[in-house]
Amino acid sequence: MTALANIGVVGLAVMGSNLARNLARHDHRVALYNRSPERTRALVADHGSEGTFVPSEQLEDFVASLEQPRRIVIMVKAGAGTDAVIDQLVPLLDEGDIVVDGGNAHFEHTRRREAALREKGLHFVGTGISGGEVGALEGPSIMPGGSQESYAALGPILESIAAQVDGEACCAWMGPDGAGHFVKMVHNGIEYADMQFIAEAYDVLSAAGLSAAEIADVFREWNTGELDSFLVEITAEVLSQVDATSGRPLVELITDAAEQKGTGRWTVQTALELGVPVSTIAESVFARSASGDAAVREVTRGVLAGPDRTLSVDDRRQLIDDVRDALWSSKVVAYAQGLDQIRKASEEYGWDVDIATVARIWRGGCIIRARLLAQISDEYAAGGLRTLLVAPSILEGLADRQGAWRRVVGLATTAGVPVPGFSSALGYYDTVRAERLPAALVQGLRDNFGAHTYGRTDRPGAFHTLWSGDRSEVEA
């Protein structure tokens, strides 16, 4: 008789199949189930030699093939599909069993599902998994939430298949209920910003006359230093790709309308609800939306006046170095904003997320993995850090690079090259470092038209000026 499986996977599309194979390669006995049994059969036929698979064509048989407490990973499309699988599974499970959602679910849905299953004596673990198809197979970054009790039973398995950096697994418990999926959502928001900054760096260098191949070489060079990261690495690959038919760089033939699946938008929406400024992430989301607004772009292209995007520089090497510094500085701001959003949500929902741990498990396996994250993790681990921007090593780095950052934004703006990401990041930097902001005038205006009151710098309390009367001031 075949031994019971110690973990199961439901949903065997590419991500689910690769995750199941990863588990099997690490000596786990993996139960398999897919609504269409052809996929289950194909996985066993093509990859059965990679480990021990226990396939089932009926959900009841799948559940029966698992040892208790059962650990079941759902890898289906987020939304109604996840709820449908949960509804089918729950009647077949026993108290203490663990259901893992490895999709990109909204964290509020995860909180709802976790509460509902907890009432039935079951554990629900919303788990962020980053790294794409390759990561799922070779070692992703894994961000599980749920109860600590469930992590005790599930964690060692997940840690065994996660990416490894310096002997540490890129997997750790994030916190209760929706914490794991919230962290993954913000990860994706930072990913949006990072890609926008990279695209702007490419655009500025292109406007200065560098070819796609030359810019690819620049990114390869950057990937050997402080900008070493997965996204910088693959940027060089994309820019080097030549179209087989025309012989032109492929990037010049790809439609310039960026798509999105929604996690970046969720990050911005949630930040608004929490009152956390994630302006760089918001600008990256809006930049994608603007790129895809074909109707507006059609009626404005060639009609609106402005510079012709010609960026004249005397020292090309200096420009390349300046763009590198602008990219690093903007990335830091995006991380600062995203990690602050996680901190605020952790306080709001009582998750107690450790920010140093978040940065640590992002060092490998995930899309935003970068050398910078080791530095960020160390800074947060030192304790007492309210924002990444004032971490000693980061503070020094921003001070050294801000001249280059400002030059790039100024040059690009003068030439008519849009850099909403770089500009937004710099604007946030200048906002939070300012001794005094024009928000004082905003409050005065709000009090004038809506009697919303204002505070004063010279004494405590809330005040209102009788604008439509004798303009005397009263204490509210």
Side-chain angles (χ1 to χ4, degrees):
M1 179 179 176
T2 304
L4 292 176
N6 58 338
I7 192 166
V9 179
V10 176
L12 301 176
V14 176
M15 284 290 291
S17 293
N18 283 0
L19 194 70
R21 292 172 58 196
N22 189 353
L23 287 161
R25 289 177 175 185
H26 285 84
D27 299 324
H28 301 292
R29 299 182 305 279
V30 187
L32 303 174
Y33 174 78
N34 193 78
R35 184 176 60 178
S36 303
E38 292 79 13
R39 278 188 170 165
T40 308
R41 297 172 197 150
L43 174 57
V44 175
D46 295 340
H47 305 289
S49 62
E50 295 181 350
T52 303
F53 295 108
V54 184
S56 297
E57 297 193 0
Q58 300 296 324
L59 194 59
E60 293 82 359
D61 296 336
F62 167 80
V63 172
S65 72
L66 286 156
E67 66 183 22
Q68 292 181 295
R70 299 180 181 92
R71 306 168 185 87
I72 298 172
V73 182
I74 300 173
M75 297 295 291
V76 300
K77 187 176 181 180
T82 302
D83 283 323
V85 172
I86 292 170
D87 290 344
Q88 293 166 16
L89 273 174
V90 165
L92 306 175
L93 302 180
D94 295 306
E95 185 173 345
D97 286 349
I98 303 167
V99 178
V100 180
D101 176 12
N104 271 334
H106 193 287
F107 81 100
E108 289 287 13
H109 295 173
T110 301
R111 299 189 77 212
R112 167 179 59 79
R113 292 164 180 152
E114 193 276 336
L117 267 65
R118 188 174 356 112
E119 289 185 359
K120 300 178 184 298
L122 302 172
H123 298 281
F124 186 78
V125 181
T127 301
I129 300 175
S130 179
E133 299 172 10
V134 174
L137 180 62
E138 299 180 357
S141 175
I142 308 178
M143 298 150 258
S147 66
Q148 284 184 297
E149 181 184 352
S150 66
Y151 192 76
L154 179 69
I157 296 177
L158 297 182
E159 290 174 15
S160 72
I161 67 166
Q164 306 286 319
V165 176
D166 297 332
E168 295 181 308
C170 292
C171 172
W173 181 64
M174 294 290 95
D177 58 72
H181 273 147
F182 191 95
V183 170
K184 175 56 162 57
M185 176 189 73
V186 174
H187 163 286
N188 286 19
I190 295 171
E191 178 186 309
Y192 273 54
D194 205 347
M195 285 192 282
Q196 178 63 28
F197 301 147
I198 286 171
E200 291 177 14
Y202 156 73
D203 206 21
V204 170
L205 294 176
S206 180
L210 277 73
S211 68
E214 288 173 322
I215 301 173
D217 288 338
V218 168
F219 275 90
R220 284 194 193 91
E221 176 190 333
W222 288 348
N223 198 49
T224 63
E226 62 191 5
L227 287 175
D228 173 18
S229 67
F230 173 70
L231 285 172
V232 167
E233 176 187 342
I234 66 171
T235 297
E237 292 181 12
V238 173
L239 292 175
S240 297
Q241 186 68 20
V242 175
D243 176 59
T245 303
S246 66
R248 293 174 58 192
L250 178 62
V251 70
E252 296 177 3
L253 298 173
I254 296 175
T255 305
D256 63 338
E259 299 181 357
Q260 52 186 304
K261 290 187 175 180
T263 46
R265 187 163 57 244
W266 291 349
T267 304
V268 176
Q269 290 168 340
T270 304
L272 289 170
E273 293 165 0
L274 291 169
V276 181
V278 293
S279 51
T280 58
I281 297 172
E283 284 295 348
S284 69
V285 173
F286 293 142
R288 292 196 190 190
S289 299
S291 75
D293 195 338
V296 169
R297 293 185 66 192
E298 180 63 29
V299 300
T300 55
R301 188 184 293 112
V303 175
L304 298 181
D308 65 0
R309 290 178 47 88
T310 300
L311 207 162
S312 299
V313 292
D314 296 326
D315 188 339
R316 178 183 281 194
R317 183 70 250 176
Q318 182 64 57
L319 176 66
I320 291 171
D321 290 345
D322 283 355
V323 173
R324 177 200 62 208
D325 289 348
L327 179 56
W328 185 91
S329 301
S330 298
K331 282 164 66 77
V332 165
V333 170
Y335 278 118
Q337 292 181 346
L339 293 172
D340 194 43
Q341 183 175 358
I342 293 173
R343 179 198 57 77
K344 184 63 180 292
S346 179
E347 294 172 355
E348 179 75 17
Y349 297 110
W351 290 335
D352 197 24
V353 177
D354 183 74
I355 302 301
T357 298
V358 171
R360 177 177 61 78
I361 67 170
W362 285 350
R363 291 178 303 161
C366 67
I367 303 301
I368 64 171
R369 60 184 181 268
R371 180 183 298 187
L372 178 61
L373 281 159
Q375 182 180 349
I376 292 173
S377 181
D378 289 344
E379 289 286 11
Y380 273 100
L385 195 58
R386 182 57 183 78
T387 173
L388 176 63
L389 300 184
V390 297
S393 65
I394 297 295
L395 186 71
E396 181 181 356
L398 290 170
D400 291 343
R401 293 166 177 82
Q402 69 167 290
W405 194 6
R406 296 180 191 283
R407 284 194 296 273
V408 169
V409 171
L411 282 170
T413 302
T414 301
V417 178
V419 285
F422 286 168
S423 299
S424 174
L426 181 57
Y428 177 80
Y429 176 84
D430 281 338
T431 294
V432 296
R433 75 181 187 87
E435 289 292 334
R436 184 167 172 80
L437 293 169
L441 178 56
V442 173
Q443 281 301 94
L445 294 171
R446 293 180 72 243
D447 187 62
N448 183 293
F449 69 70
H452 293 295
T453 75
Y454 51 85
R456 293 181 61 102
T457 60
D458 55 353
R459 60 183 185 270
F463 301 89
H464 168 58
T465 292
L466 302 175
W467 299 101
S468 59
D470 63 4
R471 299 207 172 188
S472 60
E473 183 180 76
V474 296
E475 191 166 359

